[in-house]
Amino acid sequence: MDLNLNLLVPIIIVAALVVFVVMSAVRIVPQARRYNVERFGRYRTTLQPGLNFIIPLADRINNKLDVREQVFSSQPKPVITEDNLVVNIDTVLYYQITDPRAAAYEIADYLQAIDQLTVTTLRNVIGSMDLEQTLTSREEINTRLRIVLDEATGKWGIRVNRVEIKAIDPPITIKEAMEKQMRAERDKRAAILHAEGERQSKILTAEGTRQQEILVAQGDQQAAILRADGEARAVDLVFQAVHRNDADPKVLAYKYLETLPHLARGGNTFWVIPGELTQAIRTVTEAFGDHSRMIEDEYSSRELISDRPPSLDAVVAVDRVAELAEAAVNDAKAEAAAAEGIEKPLDQDARR
């Protein structure tokens, strides 16, 4: 019994040592990870993802690195521009480890090195720009930063994919001045747009008024043409009718006297008696005189036959025509005076 116990203890110890050695020799590396292995303190190899074997006690894993793309956000750093203004710039880096051995043995702390290199590059780039260029040239600054960082970190086994400026914070006084400038610029643009709108409105209104006046003038022109054409046709028809019927001067003179009373109508304040009035009266008188002579001859012949006294119908006819003409003229003058008398009070009221 004691012999079996003495044999069992060494077997257990040996089995435990075998299990420890096997576990120490086997290394499982996850995906997107790289393990640097050192043998007796010297770099030996880099373990790839999957099942790997090492020599226990001789080999050991020194660094475990993540080869995925990573993000590094630096703290805001003060930078002086060309016009001597201090701005705080916050950057964001997107980098990836391409060589685990170089990243572990070429640089002690690659993150700190990248941070300091970013600050110095920013100060060189921003130092050659004023504040306005700094605020409007972010893409140029990002490109120049990426070029410089990619060249410097290439030997460290790191590739800088992108560099972005997250924030540029000028001093508070500069912010207030910029806000005032932007407000003034917006007010200026608003005033310009308002003035342009009013200008376009006035132009359109004037154009509409112009078109309206043109159309009204064209309408008046067409109406005047049509009216003149109608009057011309009426005169032509009257003229043709007169010549067709062969009206003698006696009838025309009578129509002339008949038309005179109508000249004073229509609110006329000034009425002119034409010089042809006496000629028209004379013509009518002569016409009636001829007619009276014919009647007188007829009555004379009758008197010779019947021995009656001569008739005075011709004289009465002439006197009647003269009275009618004088009455027409007087009526026309009265109507003109009445119209003038009505218009004068209206003018006086308008002047008051």
Side-chain angles (χ1 to χ4, degrees), residues 101-114 155-158:
R101 186 195 65 81
Y105 297 102
E106 294 296 333
I107 186 71
D109 189 351
Y110 59 85
L111 288 179
Q112 184 180 3
I114 291 175
K155 62 180 180 179
W156 299 340
I158 297 173

Side-chain angles (χ1 to χ4, degrees), residues 293-308:
R293 281 194 296 271
M294 291 174 62
I295 295 174
E296 186 177 358
D297 294 338
E298 182 180 356
Y299 272 96
S300 298
S301 61
R302 289 181 181 180
E303 288 174 356
L304 292 175
I305 296 172
S306 58
D307 295 332
R308 292 180 180 178

Side-chain angles (χ1 to χ4, degrees), residues 86-310:
V86 179
V87 294
N88 294 322
I89 300 180
D90 188 4
T91 58
V92 178
L93 298 176
Y94 297 86
Y95 69 95
Q96 186 177 11
I97 297 175
T98 57
D99 187 358
R101 186 195 65 81
Y105 297 102
E106 294 296 333
I107 186 71
D109 189 351
Y110 59 85
L111 288 179
Q112 184 180 3
I114 291 175
D115 187 20
Q116 295 300 320
L117 183 60
T118 302
V119 173
T120 55
T121 306
L122 272 176
R123 287 174 178 171
N124 292 332
V125 173
I126 301 300
S128 60
M129 298 181 178
D130 56 13
L131 180 61
E132 185 175 358
Q133 291 178 342
T134 302
L135 295 174
T136 58
S137 305
R138 292 196 176 192
E139 189 64 29
E140 180 182 355
I141 297 172
N142 295 337
T143 303
R144 294 175 65 177
L145 275 175
R146 188 182 60 80
I147 293 173
V148 173
L149 292 175
D150 197 18
E151 291 177 356
T153 58
K155 62 180 180 179
W156 299 340
I158 297 173
R159 181 177 69 246
V160 178
N161 297 326
R162 295 183 64 184
V163 180
E164 297 290 341
I165 296 179
K166 186 167 63 175
I168 299 177
D169 296 327
I172 297 177
T173 55
I174 301 299
K175 286 183 179 180
E176 294 177 354
M178 292 172 63
E179 289 178 358
K180 292 180 180 179
Q181 182 180 1
M182 293 175 61
R183 191 180 302 110
E185 190 68 24
R186 286 194 296 268
D187 294 341
K188 175 183 175 183
R189 288 198 297 268
I192 292 174
L193 291 176
H194 182 69
E196 187 68 23
E198 290 185 351
R199 175 176 172 271
Q200 291 294 333
S201 176
K202 291 181 179 179
I203 290 174
L204 293 176
T205 303
E207 188 68 23
T209 304
R210 174 175 170 270
Q211 293 293 334
Q212 180 183 1
E213 292 179 354
I214 290 174
L215 293 176
V216 171
Q218 290 177 352
D220 294 340
Q221 180 185 8
Q222 293 295 328
I225 292 173
L226 294 176
R227 192 180 300 110
D229 190 14
E231 292 178 357
R233 290 183 180 181
V235 171
D236 187 27
L237 291 176
V238 172
F239 184 77
Q240 291 179 3
V242 170
H243 282 274
R244 190 185 308 114
N245 296 322
D246 193 15
D248 57 358
K250 301 173 183 178
V251 176
L252 298 179
Y254 180 75
K255 296 298 292 182
Y256 183 80
L257 291 174
E258 190 179 25
T259 308
L260 285 177
H262 299 282
L263 296 177
R265 298 179 182 177
N268 296 326
T269 59
F270 185 76
W271 192 70
V272 178
I273 299 175
E276 293 83 358
L277 178 61
T278 56
Q279 183 65 31
I281 295 174
R282 187 179 297 110
T283 302
V284 175
T285 305
E286 290 176 356
F288 279 97
D290 294 338
H291 180 68
S292 63
R293 281 194 296 271
M294 291 174 62
I295 295 174
E296 186 177 358
D297 294 338
E298 182 180 356
Y299 272 96
S300 298
S301 61
R302 289 181 181 180
E303 288 174 356
L304 292 175
I305 296 172
S306 58
D307 295 332
R308 292 180 180 178

